[in-house]
């Protein structure tokens, strides 16, 4: 009698088909005594398509609630089994099951989304060809790897580094926060811990927040351990490269895995250590599809597989910081805190200074702020730096030439026709670009409303800043690094190499250059337009601003001989703001304490727990009506946390950017006293929404974002 197999396929939770695993018969010719193991990849028919599926264990999400054997009438058989590939481990399946449940997605949607795209499109024969190609490449690299096994240079440890490594080697595997100032040598801790784990025959997973940080860290690890032992996993790889690296990792041929947030789902059979560098970075939160947090899943995976997790940052997220407070100061104490408050070589942290723009206006007149991108005193600082042969970094977290074009006669502005946002002027190719929907059009010769030829840029982006600084400092060699200058493959590495080699005097950039880079010649950092985040509607904006400025300051004075003379200047209208006062002292602890006090009084995370129900529709009325109906269904739930006061549903409001690509976006905030309350409510509420979806107002799509990082 054929056996029924539970198979996950990529179907959303609100699909008309089963939200969990689907029933299939074993493939024809399968041995009855050898059932398919959970985690086996298969190809199955789904409607008129052949799709990739994953054999799912009984008792997990998608299992029948009645416990009875499913009827076999009408069941289709599995088309083929990708038997050349070992099944994914039980721990990997449990990680996917947890992520799907916590982030309110279907297990199939989560599992199939994190597999390499090319793996989902190939059959058994194609997979075998790729495995042969992989083994051939590994065999060819073996002699080269043997030559590279010579012991590489290992720098001497500072007393702080030695103490951190001593503590990491003690006790049971736990989650540790490595709180080290910029330049304190956190990367060397990662390397030494990886060395210890690799010596035990285990594998190491290192996560970085952004692709642009991957090449330099990959080079450091390759230099220490050899390139043959290292594999990268991120979206910047071609589909073929990503599949090849994923296969090498899954088969145990890679000892080190370095990647962005998607790499948290890398199937490592011998996992021994997880490192999350710059753990505070919001890029670890997926913003589309299954909106998971790779940092939080790293902590869960460490506990699940019994391996240590190392979270590194100079400015930890407030959630992590609270978890790392010793018991007695708080009720947390979940993470071990390891401190490295000093720079390598006893180098001083750069002096942080504030330039009061009100004083600049009083001395030079208001027009100076429109004529010059940087106040005159700081231009003089840059000239002095240039005369000494040192480098300067100017941070402006806004790309393009100008945020908007406007007509001086009638007031027309370059509004995007598809979005509730301005189109940004890019002078290099004379285009207006919407950074939300991606629409591009040439700059018009005259105002489209009144025909006036006098169309002017309003505001300043990195492209305009580079141009203006080039005019003020004609003898300086300028470079700009932002998303526009690093689009082509290898361009970022090439530009960073120019900076490291001393071929750049002034570097202009966005947040891309503010973190993780070891610029040895930079002694002056200038931050522009920082005030914009001080009064944001997002309660996390001050936390992000402080982290960005602290990271930017850390790019200066990384050479111990120049550290004492290095400095960072912030142009501001609010020099007395507590955030800037803490920044001047490099006092993250005081800043975190004040922010946590404010959050606790206001009832905000990490003291409460949030979720967003996001809705997209062709018009605002439909989206608002959907959320109003959803609210009424929530209020009608039996035993709801709403009536007990444990959960709040806020009224629907438009998203910060209300319309993108002619799609209206509305969101509703949920606030709960605990994660358990939030999860129970969401699970029951979404089941009701799905059951009643035919009666709800029609919208394009809707989804829940658990633990959102931006509101």
């Amino acid at each position: 009698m054929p056996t029924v197999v539970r198979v996950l396929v990529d179907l959303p939770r609100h699909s008309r088909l089963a939200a969990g695993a689907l029933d299939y018969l074993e493939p024809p010719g399968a041995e009855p005594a050898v059932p398919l193991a959970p985690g086996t990849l298969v190809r199955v028919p789904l409607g008129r398509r052949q799709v990739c599926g994953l054999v799912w264990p009984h008792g997990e999400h998608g299992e029948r609630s009645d416990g009875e054997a499913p009827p076999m009438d009408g069941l289709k058989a599995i088309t083929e089994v990708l038997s050349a590939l070992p099944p994914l481990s039980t721990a990997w399946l449990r990680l996917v099951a947890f992520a799907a449940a916590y982030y309110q997605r279907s297990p199939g949607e989560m599992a199939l989304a994190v597999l390499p795209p090319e793996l989902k499109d190939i059959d058994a024969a194609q997979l075998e060809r790729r495995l042969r190609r992989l083994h051939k490449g590994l065999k060819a690299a073996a002699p080269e790897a043997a030559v590279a096994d010579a012991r590489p240079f290992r720098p001497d440890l500072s007393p702080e580094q030695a103490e951190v490594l001593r503590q990491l080697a003690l006790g049971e595997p736990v989650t540790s926060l490595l709180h080290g100032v910029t330049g304190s040598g956190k990367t060397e801790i990662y390397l030494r811990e990886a060395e210890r784990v690799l010596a035990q025959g285990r594998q190491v997973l290192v996560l970085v927040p952004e692709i642009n940080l991957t090449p330099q860290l990959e080079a450091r690890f390759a230099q220490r351990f050899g390139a043959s032992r290292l594999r990268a996993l991120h979206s910047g790889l071609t589909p073929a490269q990503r599949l090849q690296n994923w296969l090498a990792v899954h088969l145990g041929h890679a000892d080190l895995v370095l990647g962005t947030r998607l790499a948290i789902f890398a199937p490592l059979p011998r996992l021994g250590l997880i490192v999350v560098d710059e753990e505070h970075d919001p890029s670890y939160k997926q913003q589309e599809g299954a909106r998971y947090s790779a940092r939080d899943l790293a902590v869960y995976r460490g506990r699940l597989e019994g391996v240590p997790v190392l979270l590194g940052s100079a400015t930890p997220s407030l959630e992590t910081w609270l978890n790392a407070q010793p018991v007695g100061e708080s009720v947390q104490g979940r993470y071990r805190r390891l401190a490295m408050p000093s720079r390598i070589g006893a180098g001083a942290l750069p002096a942080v200074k504030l330039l009061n723009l009100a004083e600049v206006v009083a001395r030079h007149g208001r027009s100076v702020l429109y004529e010059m991108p940087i106040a005159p005193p700081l231009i003089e600082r840059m000239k002095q730096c240039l005369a000494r042969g040192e480098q300067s970094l100017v941070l402006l977290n806004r790309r393009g030439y100008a945020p908007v074009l406007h007509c001086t006669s009638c007031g027309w502005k370059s509004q995007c026709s598809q979005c509730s946002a301005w189109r940004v002027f890019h002078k290099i190719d004379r285009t207006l670009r919407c950074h939300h929907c991606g629409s591009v059009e040439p700059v018009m010769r005259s105002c489209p409303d009144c025909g006036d030829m006098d169309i002017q840029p309003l505001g300043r982006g990195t492209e305009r800043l580079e141009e203006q600084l080039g005019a003020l400092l004609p003898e300086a060699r300028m470079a700009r690094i932002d998303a526009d200058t690093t689009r082509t493959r290898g361009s970022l590495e090439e530009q960073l190499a120019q900076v490291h080699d001393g071929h750049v005097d002034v570097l202009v950039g966005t947040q891309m250059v503010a973190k993780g880079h070891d610029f040895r010649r930079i002694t002056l950092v200038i931050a522009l337009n920082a005030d914009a985040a001080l009064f944001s509607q997002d309660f996390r904006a001050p936390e992000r601003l402080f982290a960005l400025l602290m990271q930017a300051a850390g790019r200066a004075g990384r050479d111990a001989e120049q550290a004492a003379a290095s400095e960072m200047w912030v142009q501001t209208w609010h020099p007395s703001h507590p955030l800037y006062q803490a920044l001047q002292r490099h006092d993250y602890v005081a800043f975190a304490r004040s922010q946590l006090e404010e959050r606790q009084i206001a009832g905000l995370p990490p003291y409460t727990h949030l979720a967003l129900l996001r809705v997209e529709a062709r018009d605002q009325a439909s989206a608002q009506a959907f959320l109003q109906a959803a609210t009424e269904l929530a209020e009608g739930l039996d035993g709801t946390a709403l009536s007990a006061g444990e959960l709040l549903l806020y009224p629907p409001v438009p998203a910060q950017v209300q319309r993108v690509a002619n799609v209206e976006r509305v969101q509703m905030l949920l606030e709960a006293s605990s994660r358990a309350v939030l999860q129970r409510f969401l699970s029951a509420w979404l089941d009701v929404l799905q059951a009643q979806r035919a009666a709800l107002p029609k919208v394009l799509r809707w989804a829940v974002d658990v633990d959102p990082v931006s509101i």
Side-chain angles (χ1 to χ4, degrees):
M1 185 175 182
T3 303
V4 175
V5 181
R6 304 289 277 162
V7 178
L8 291 184
V9 293
D10 189 358
L11 289 173
R13 176 171 174 154
H14 56 273
S15 168
R16 63 182 179 83
L17 298 176
L22 303 180
D23 293 328
Y24 286 92
L25 298 176
E26 283 190 330
E31 299 181 32
V34 186
L36 289 177
T40 301
L41 286 168
V42 295
R43 292 195 66 79
V44 297
L46 184 66
R48 298 181 179 180
R49 298 178 296 148
Q50 290 288 328
V51 300
C52 180
L54 182 69
V55 177
W56 197 240
H58 291 281
E60 299 290 345
H61 294 276
E63 175 63 350
R64 293 179 170 273
S65 59
D66 54 17
E68 298 179 0
M72 296 187 184
D73 295 342
L75 291 185
K76 297 179 180 179
I78 293 172
T79 305
E80 64 176 348
V81 179
L82 304 186
S83 55
L85 202 62
L88 292 158
S89 69
T90 300
W92 191 91
L93 298 179
R94 290 177 63 189
L95 175 66
V96 166
F98 170 80
Y102 186 82
Y103 295 105
Q104 301 296 325
R105 315 299 293 196
S106 75
E109 185 181 14
M110 180 66 71
L112 277 298
V114 300
L115 294 177
E118 195 167 282
L119 180 63
K120 294 180 285 186
D121 295 332
I122 60 177
D123 56 25
Q126 292 170 322
L127 175 61
E128 289 178 0
R129 284 199 295 271
R130 281 160 175 77
L131 288 172
R132 286 196 296 270
R133 193 181 308 155
L134 172 65
H135 289 121
K136 183 178 180 181
L138 292 171
K139 187 176 181 180
E144 181 180 330
V147 174
D149 280 339
R151 194 167 184 82
F153 170 74
R154 299 162 78 236
D156 295 333
L157 296 173
S158 69
E160 290 177 0
Q161 288 175 314
E163 175 58 21
V164 164
L165 289 170
R166 186 190 70 80
Q167 293 186 51
L168 286 172
L170 298 176
E172 295 295 320
V174 295
T175 298
S176 301
L177 168 61
L178 179 59
H179 180 214
V181 299
T182 54
S184 60
K186 293 188 290 295
T187 303
E188 185 61 29
I189 296 294
Y190 304 155
L191 291 165
R192 295 293 181 105
E193 270 299 281
E195 184 178 28
R196 182 174 68 85
V197 171
L198 293 177
Q200 301 169 357
R202 310 289 293 277
Q203 292 171 301
V204 177
L205 172 62
V206 181
L207 299 180
V208 294
E210 297 178 11
I211 294 175
N212 69 76
L213 296 178
T214 306
Q216 61 176 14
L217 197 58
E218 187 175 352
R220 291 284 300 274
F221 274 88
Q223 184 181 32
R224 184 69 60 92
F225 302 109
S228 62
R229 306 180 71 182
L230 176 65
R231 293 284 176 161
L233 287 175
H234 53 75
S235 60
L237 302 173
T238 66
Q241 290 172 329
R242 184 170 159 189
L243 176 59
Q244 184 184 52
N245 288 357
W246 188 92
L247 291 172
V249 172
H250 180 48
L251 296 173
H253 297 310
D255 295 325
L256 285 156
V257 178
L258 180 65
T260 50
R261 58 178 176 264
L262 190 65
I264 188 57
F265 291 101
L268 297 105
R270 298 178 283 108
L271 182 61
L273 172 67
I274 301 175
V275 174
V276 184
D277 191 27
E278 308 290 358
E279 66 84 27
H280 66 276
D281 199 294
S283 297
Y284 282 120
K285 184 68 157 56
Q286 174 76 7
Q287 295 299 319
E288 298 175 348
R291 293 176 170 87
Y292 61 86
S293 166
R295 179 201 64 201
D296 295 347
L297 288 180
V299 174
Y300 177 82
R301 187 173 186 179
R303 293 173 181 170
L304 178 66
E305 302 199 39
V307 301
V309 178
L310 189 55
L311 309 175
S313 178
T315 54
S317 66
L318 293 181
E319 288 81 1
T320 297
W321 183 253
L322 186 61
N323 281 326
Q325 296 309 299
V327 175
E329 295 182 20
S330 75
V331 297
Q332 304 299 314
R334 297 173 182 171
Y335 302 165
R336 174 173 52 185
R337 179 184 164 198
L338 307 171
M340 293 200 304
S342 305
R343 279 186 155 184
I344 292 294
L349 289 167
V352 176
K353 301 178 181 180
L354 307 175
L355 182 66
N356 190 340
L357 289 175
E359 295 179 359
V360 173
V361 169
R363 185 177 301 115
H364 300 279
R366 182 170 293 274
S367 62
V368 72
L369 299 182
Y370 301 100
E371 297 168 357
M372 302 181 68
I374 299 177
L378 298 188
I379 293 294
E380 289 303 315
R381 294 272 180 178
M382 295 181 71
K383 290 180 178 179
Q384 294 168 12
C385 189
L386 185 62
R388 295 193 300 267
E390 299 166 356
Q391 293 174 324
S392 303
L393 168 63
V394 183
L395 173 68
L396 176 61
N397 206 22
R398 176 183 287 165
R399 62 189 177 100
Y401 189 85
V404 63
L405 285 184
H406 81 123
C407 175
T408 57
S409 296
C410 69
W412 170 89
K413 294 182 177 62
S414 54
Q415 170 78 43
C416 178
S417 60
Q418 303 182 81
C419 307
S420 54
W422 307 117
R423 289 175 296 171
V424 178
F425 174 41
H426 290 256
K427 187 177 180 180
I428 191 168
D429 57 1
R430 300 289 299 175
T431 59
L432 288 173
R433 296 176 177 269
C434 178
H435 292 172
H436 298 280
C437 70
S439 64
V440 181
E441 70 173 75
V443 174
M444 60 288 298
R445 294 182 177 273
S446 61
C447 174
D449 284 357
C450 70
D452 196 311
M453 302 290 288
D454 190 18
I455 302 178
Q456 297 293 329
L458 194 63
R460 182 181 293 114
T462 49
E463 188 182 342
R464 188 178 191 183
L465 177 61
E466 179 189 24
E467 178 185 275
Q468 293 176 320
L469 285 176
L472 290 168
L473 304 169
E475 70 279 17
R477 296 168 294 178
M478 309 287 298
R480 172 168 56 95
I481 295 181
D482 56 27
D484 296 319
T485 63
T486 57
R487 289 178 180 172
T488 58
R489 184 178 298 275
S491 58
L492 175 62
E493 292 84 347
E494 181 180 345
Q495 291 181 72
L496 289 174
Q498 293 286 316
V499 179
H500 289 304
D501 293 341
H503 301 313
V504 173
D505 298 316
V506 178
L507 175 61
V508 174
T510 59
Q511 54 87 25
M512 289 180 64
V513 298
K515 52 193 174 186
H517 301 291
D518 190 21
F519 299 127
R520 309 301 295 182
R521 295 178 172 88
I522 288 180
T523 58
L524 174 64
V525 175
I526 298 173
L528 306 179
N529 201 32
D531 289 349
L534 292 179
F535 310 103
S536 170
Q537 63 184 13
D538 191 338
F539 67 89
R540 286 193 174 91
E543 179 184 358
R544 293 198 189 108
L545 175 61
F546 189 85
L548 177 62
L549 295 179
M550 281 278 283
Q551 293 287 337
R555 297 319 103 203
R558 297 181 75 88
D559 186 333
E561 295 181 0
Q562 298 178 316
S566 65
E567 57 187 14
M568 176 186 185
W569 283 86
V570 180
Q571 286 193 173
T572 175
W573 293 97
H574 307 280
S576 61
H577 195 284
L579 185 149
Y580 292 141
Q581 296 300 310
L583 181 69
Q584 281 193 288
R585 302 189 302 270
H586 296 275
D587 195 349
Y588 170 82
V589 175
F591 172 77
R593 184 187 303 116
S594 66
Q595 284 289 298
L596 286 172
E597 289 173 356
E598 290 181 12
R599 300 268 188 99
Q600 189 169 26
I601 293 171
L604 293 170
Y607 299 101
T608 57
H609 304 277
L610 305 179
L612 279 176
L613 179 58
R614 303 179 188 269
V615 176
E616 297 181 359
R618 287 299 179 192
D619 57 83
Q620 274 285 318
S622 298
Q624 294 276 355
F626 180 95
L627 288 176
Q628 185 58 44
T631 302
E632 293 172 0
L633 290 174
E635 293 170 347
L637 290 176
D638 292 334
T640 178
L642 288 170
S643 58
E646 297 175 324
L647 187 138
L648 291 174
L649 258 65
Y650 289 88
V653 295
Q656 185 173 7
V657 181
Q658 178 175 322
R659 188 178 75 258
V660 173
N662 287 324
V663 172
E664 297 288 336
R665 309 191 305 167
V666 183
Q667 60 191 26
M668 183 165 63
L669 181 66
L670 293 80
E671 178 186 300
S673 58
S674 70
R675 279 197 174 90
V677 167
L678 182 62
Q679 287 293 318
R680 284 196 301 269
F681 176 80
L682 286 175
S683 181
W685 190 34
L686 295 183
D687 285 344
V688 171
L689 287 176
Q690 289 156 17
Q692 299 292 327
R693 62 184 178 272
L696 292 171
K698 302 301 180 184
V699 295
L700 294 176
R701 64 190 67 90
W702 57 274
V704 167
D705 185 358
V706 181
D707 299 336
V709 296
S710 61
I711 297 175

